[in-house]
Amino acid sequence: MVEGARGIQSVEVSGRILRALARSARPMMLKDLAEDADLKPAQCHAYLTSLKNVGFVRQDWATGLYSAGPFALRLGVSWLNGNPQTAAAKLELKVLAEDFGVMALIVVWSSFGPSIAHTYAGWTQASLNLRQGSIFSVTGSANGRLFAAFGGAPEIAPMIEAELSRKAQKAGIGEDVETEDFPERIGEIRAQGYSVAEGRPIPGVNAVSVPIFAPTGELAFVASLIGSAANLPVGRDAPAVLRMLQLGRTLSATAADPGTRQKESAE
Amino acid sequence: MSFPINKRRTKEKKSDVRGVQSIELGSRLLEALCQEAEPMMLKDLAKISGFAPAQAHAYLVSYKKIGVVEQDAETGRYFLGPFAVQLGLTAMRTMDPMELAREAVSELSDRTALNVAIVVWGSFGPTVVQVEESGIHINMNTRPGTVYSMSGTASGLVFSAFLPEQEVKDAMAQEKREPAGSGRVGTSRFVGRREIEQIREQGFATVESPPVPGVHAYSAPVFDHSGQIVLAITIIGQDHFIEPRADSEFIPALLETTRTLSFGLGFRASKG
């Protein structure tokens, strides 16, 4: 930082508390939060009071446990709406979901694995139980395999290893995958630039996923369609596959063109 | 915990009682970034959130450090960073809309002394998943598992007004094909475009001729952050109790509950 300006220390301390919450799979007790954030419980409590007032955290009235609150949700949603690539993806996926009668997803990487950040159920509302925050398997889902093929996060490799060795508690949604052909499968995905699921892990349900790359060339997120095999054939020349590939190319190119952001905001 | 200067230490001590003021102040900057959806210049960001630019800058330095804010290297503009989406995912993972809804309807039932139902979209249409009974009103035809008519019940009309049109058409057609005695509550009838538009505008629905004579219901939608309907909340009571106070008291209480719940799920009514 050139200006080397002083920050606000208590904001940075609050960041430690929020990070501790983000690392936890479940609501937390004050003393555990304090320990993870390296604070004394009384001090942590003061921070939590303010974080609660703002809506960063919520406290369950019955258990007293802390979890991320509505303002945390709002920050995530605002990021989805404000980021030019995710904002464009949301609009285009809505059209595709309605054209094919399937569900659309935006999946991003979190420390727990590939996580659903956005769903558009279209008119398939009642059929699939996928919701924001749900986590996919890295090896056993079309979404996850794209992170295996293109992702850069340091947690990916150990997660693949754990899943393939069946040591992982199966937290994510996905099928069991054989170790032997996994590298080959990832190679194919890299070559073809998309990944599909056919009838697995859910019989009769297919999915097609494409990677969206950030301006830096890193994998930014994954866009997916998921729906009944009847509505969503996923062969090489299937309309949904071709249109998703097109969407992936357009969105990744949008990011690569530095003029686009200004152009879009001028419209 | 050591702080660089004594002054700050005393400030932090005081805050043990009333929280940490700078967290509450600083969140105004994040709120502004959420609202604008565009990368912002320091001076605009400071102005909107009521800070002097230098003060805003100090906050932004720290927000950048924790990753919730990013700064464009070329333009110098600020926008939400990768930790914002991680926080959002954390909330999505641990937040259970049904649990929040259960809390809300229990409060609403206590406050109004009415029966309150949570209705979700199921494979066969609007489906009751929970009924909070006030104990005063007998409600013979609403229980978990009850499937409502799309057009002949208040709850059904809410889904008819706020689900995608194709899904509504399919569901109404399916309902019309059902034989008599299918067990669905409410009688299918024609619903005009004007009625649907009115429901969208006023934000709640009711029916003139309810399925059970003498019992009236009002229903309102709960939305998630993407603007999709998650569930409907329906208040049900006997005419002599609910009707005199419906407009003045019960409908406002219902709407307050559904709006608070939608807000908690990240919903923001679209601007303009």
Side-chain angles (χ1 to χ4, degrees), chain B residues 156-213:
Chain B
L157 284 173
V158 164
F159 285 98
S160 296
F162 294 103
L163 277 178
E165 280 180 18
Q166 186 59 48
E167 177 133 32
V168 173
K169 270 186 202 157
D170 291 353
M172 284 192 169
Q174 187 195 333
E175 185 179 328
K176 280 197 189 111
R177 286 196 301 269
E178 280 171 4
S182 66
R184 190 186 289 267
V185 168
T187 312
S188 177
R189 64 182 180 90
F190 173 76
V191 182
R193 185 155 286 276
R194 180 173 293 177
E195 187 178 348
I196 291 294
E197 271 160 18
Q198 198 195 342
I199 294 167
R200 287 183 186 149
E201 203 168 298
Q202 69 193 15
F204 68 90
T206 187
V207 285
E208 296 294 323
S209 44
V212 177

Side-chain angles (χ1 to χ4, degrees), chain A residues 1 3 5-16 18-19 21-27 38-40 42-43 45-47 49-51 53-54 56 58 60-61 67-83 90 98 108-112 115-127 131-135 258 261-262 264-265, chain B residues 1-5 8 12 15-27 30-31 33-35 37-39 55 57-59 61-68 70-72 74-75 79-97 99-100 103 121-124 163-164 166-167 170 224-226 228-229 263-268:
Chain A
M1 230 157 298
E3 293 146 277
R6 286 180 40 193
I8 308 285
Q9 199 193 6
S10 50
V11 164
E12 291 167 32
V13 174
S14 76
R16 301 210 302 262
L18 294 173
R19 240 173 234 292
L21 276 178
R23 276 195 303 262
S24 168
R26 48 192 65 245
D38 194 17
L39 292 168
K40 292 198 183 87
Q43 200 182 10
H45 185 261
Y47 279 95
T49 302
S50 289
L51 289 170
N53 288 345
V54 184
F56 260 123
R58 70 182 280 271
D60 188 277
W61 58 277
S67 55
F71 189 56
L73 180 64
R74 178 147 155 72
L75 283 169
V77 173
S78 300
W79 181 87
L80 278 169
N81 293 336
N83 179 304
K90 272 176 75 171
E98 284 174 358
V108 303
W109 186 261
S110 83
S111 48
F112 289 90
S115 304
I116 301 179
H118 169 78
T119 66
Y120 181 75
W123 38 285
T124 59
Q125 292 260 353
S127 48
R131 63 186 198 96
Q132 281 89 3
S134 296
I135 293 160
R261 200 181 254 194
Q262 280 88 340
E264 274 177 355
S265 56
Chain B
M1 225 21 46
S2 69
F3 292 96
I5 43 172
R8 174 145 314 171
E12 294 293 343
S15 71
D16 281 359
V17 193
R18 5 159 237 147
V20 182
Q21 200 194 11
S22 52
I23 289 172
E24 301 184 29
L25 286 175
S27 73
L30 300 178
E31 182 64 40
L33 284 173
C34 285
Q35 233 148 45
E38 289 278 318
Q55 196 186 9
H57 185 257
Y59 277 99
V61 165
S62 295
Y63 282 129
K64 263 163 70 180
K65 270 191 209 159
I66 66 176
V68 78
E70 251 182 292
Q71 187 175 18
D72 189 303
E74 278 171 40
T75 64
F79 54 99
L80 292 174
F83 190 50
V85 72
Q86 295 302 327
L87 278 173
L89 287 171
T90 306
M92 289 170 187
R93 208 169 46 231
T94 45
M95 204 176 260
D96 179 354
E99 192 190 313
L100 296 176
E103 274 176 41
W121 187 242
S123 300
F124 298 97
L163 277 178
Q166 186 59 48
E167 177 133 32
D170 291 353
D224 69 6
H225 68 81
S226 59
Q228 299 169 85
I229 179 170
F263 189 83
L265 296 174
F267 177 70
R268 291 298 176 281

Side-chain angles (χ1 to χ4, degrees), chain A residues 157-178:
Chain A
M159 221 175 260
I160 291 173
E161 205 173 310
E163 283 183 13
L164 290 180
S165 66
R166 309 275 151 80
K167 276 182 199 141
Q169 298 174 5
K170 285 232 351 178
I173 303 161
E175 57 175 310
D176 284 336
V177 174
E178 295 312 316

